[in-house]
Amino acid sequence: MSILTVAALAVGFVLLVAGGELLVRGASRLAGTLGISPLVVGLTVVAFATSTPELAVSVDAALSGYPGLAVGNVVGSNIANILLILGLTALIAPLVAKSRIVRVDIPIMVGFSIVLLLVALDGVISLLDGLLLLAGMVAYVVATVVISRRNGADPTDTAEVGSADEGAGAGADTGGEHPVDEGAGVGVGTGGEHSADVGSSHSVLKSSALVALGVLMLVVGARLLVTAASDLAAAWGMSDLVIGLTVVAIGTSLPELATSLVAAYRGERDLAVGNIVGSNMFNIGAVLGITSLITPIEVAAGAIRFDLPIMVAVALALLPIAFTGMAITRWEGLLFSGFYAAYILYVVLQASDHDALEPFSTAMLWFVIPFTALWLIVLATYELGVLRGRRQARRHLVPDQ
């Protein structure tokens, strides 16, 4: 492993993070200027922007002849998004899970994960499989837009995703609730519709320039990262799947991490959950869908036996945790972070064929995972009882009113 490989890895990470930030900032400002609803921005624009590094890396890896890296990147990123990013973010502050996210978006994310596992069972994600995944993603986005327009400016939906501009770091610049007016501030001050249009046009141009620069940085960063990751795989004797599941997956998840941490720090905790859920759906539907349209993606047998089922299990685990109290608490964040550390340790032990792999696997399989599953079932059952009791209490109060 040469110094150039390490430098390429470091520069690739920096470009991915910086490019993702510029893309999020530009896309959010552009959406605000064009008058797109905050709900659509939070669940689509921000989520897609933070998933762009995964798209760039997966496409480049597939074209470069490393399909394991393409699959490992997406699967590893989805696992890291839930266990690592939501875990660390919940340690800062408990994360609010709005009812729409629990009722609609998380179940759809689970559905995407299950479909990916099913289409990968034959060992390849074909052109037809890619069309299916991409069509599902397009249907989700269209349905979100249609429902958003039908409901209008519903306060619940608005609160649900928070201010997309603030979540992406643009709120501080645009002033939050009225990005269009702020973007055209010169025109308002000089008093003419023509001046306002000019200010709006300038805002669109600036936002578009940020988007273009962000995409360029992401493409260059992805190329450097894939090259360096391939060299690391050869130097350490690891497969490209393992490198994709660990180093590259964490690196391409850094935009989601930054967005979620900032959202939690600013008090927009529901945006942190929405960003992760939306990003995971885009990773499967758009990233693997588009990549498989370019070239069929071979899926390693190890990923089918272990990593893809783990991704589905992690997605399923998020549902009862978000359901209990409609929040992800600090102790649940600590649980998620601990499981991610255990997952990474397992991947490394398996890749190196270490003697500690067998006792570690036995402990996880027969003690830790069953105990955690039982605990989640107890929590969900208790929460169902609480909700049922509240509904019965409301029914008894209605005749008195």
Side-chain angles (χ1 to χ4, degrees):
M1 181 173 59
S2 65
I3 298 179
L4 290 178
T5 300
V6 177
L9 190 66
V11 173
F13 277 154
V14 171
L15 288 176
L16 280 174
V17 175
E21 168 63 21
L22 287 179
L23 186 57
V24 169
R25 188 180 294 269
S28 299
R29 289 181 178 179
L30 186 62
T33 303
L34 297 177
I36 302 175
S37 84
L39 173 63
V40 177
V41 172
L43 292 176
T44 57
V45 176
V46 175
F48 181 75
T50 54
S51 294
T52 307
E54 284 88 346
L55 176 61
V57 168
S58 294
V59 170
D60 193 88
L63 292 175
S64 301
Y66 299 98
L69 192 60
V71 176
N73 172 45
V74 168
V75 175
S77 292
N78 279 16
I79 295 173
N81 282 346
I82 295 177
L83 294 184
L84 178 64
I85 296 178
L86 282 184
L88 292 179
T89 307
L91 290 177
I92 296 178
L95 299 176
V96 177
K98 294 296 184 180
S99 60
R100 176 206 152 87
I101 295 177
V102 176
R103 287 186 291 106
V104 179
D105 299 301
I106 294 180
I108 292 177
M109 181 192 70
V110 172
F112 268 99
S113 302
I114 294 175
V115 169
L116 175 59
L117 175 59
L118 293 177
V119 301
L121 288 177
D122 60 353
V124 62
I125 302 176
S126 64
L127 174 65
L128 184 60
D129 296 333
L131 287 174
L132 175 64
L133 294 174
L134 190 58
M137 190 69 252
V138 172
Y140 170 77
V141 172
V142 171
T144 301
V145 173
V146 170
I147 293 174
S148 174
R149 290 181 176 178
R150 182 179 302 168
N151 293 340
D154 182 65
T156 303
D157 290 339
T158 302
E160 217 165 284
V161 296
S163 170
D165 290 341
E166 290 180 7
D173 297 332
T174 60
E177 296 181 359
H178 303 288
V180 178
D181 293 340
E182 292 294 334
V186 176
V188 173
T190 56
E193 294 183 1
H194 176 71
S195 299
D197 292 338
V198 171
S200 179
S201 299
H202 288 168
S203 180
V204 170
L205 289 176
K206 289 180 180 179
S207 301
S208 301
L210 284 178
V211 170
L213 181 59
V215 170
L216 176 62
M217 295 176 69
L218 286 170
V219 171
V220 176
R223 184 65 184 177
L224 290 174
L225 195 60
V226 169
T227 302
S230 303
D231 292 342
L232 284 176
W236 294 347
M238 294 184 179
S239 67
D240 53 346
L241 174 64
V242 173
I243 296 297
L245 287 168
T246 55
V247 180
V248 179
I250 296 175
T252 54
S253 293
L254 289 177
E256 285 92 343
L257 177 61
T259 301
S260 296
L261 289 177
V262 170
Y265 179 77
R266 294 182 177 181
E268 299 177 27
R269 303 168 191 176
D270 54 335
L271 178 61
V273 180
N275 173 45
I276 294 303
V277 172
S279 294
N280 277 16
M281 286 188 283
F282 271 102
N283 284 346
I284 296 174
V287 174
L288 286 182
I290 294 174
T291 304
S292 61
L293 295 182
I294 298 174
T295 179
I297 306 174
E298 296 181 5
V299 183
I304 299 174
R305 289 194 309 266
F306 181 74
D307 301 293
L308 282 167
I310 288 295
M311 182 190 70
V312 174
V314 167
L316 286 169
L318 180 59
L319 191 55
I321 285 185
F323 178 74
T324 52
M326 295 296 178
I328 302 175
T329 61
R330 283 190 174 90
W331 77 264
E332 290 169 337
L334 182 62
L335 179 68
F336 271 12
S337 302
F339 266 123
Y340 187 72
Y343 169 75
I344 292 298
L345 180 58
Y346 178 87
V347 171
V348 173
L349 290 176
Q350 186 184 46
S352 59
D353 198 18
H354 199 276
D355 294 337
L357 176 62
E358 185 174 351
F360 179 80
S361 302
T362 302
M364 292 294 295
L365 182 62
W366 296 107
F367 177 71
V368 178
I369 295 178
F371 178 79
T372 305
L374 178 62
W375 181 248
L376 291 177
I377 292 173
V378 170
L379 281 178
T381 304
Y382 171 77
E383 192 70 21
L384 279 173
V386 171
L387 290 177
R388 189 178 296 110
R390 290 174 181 172
R391 288 171 185 165
Q392 291 176 353
R394 290 195 196 100
R395 290 195 189 101
H396 289 303
L397 290 175
V398 169
D400 299 335
Q401 294 176 351

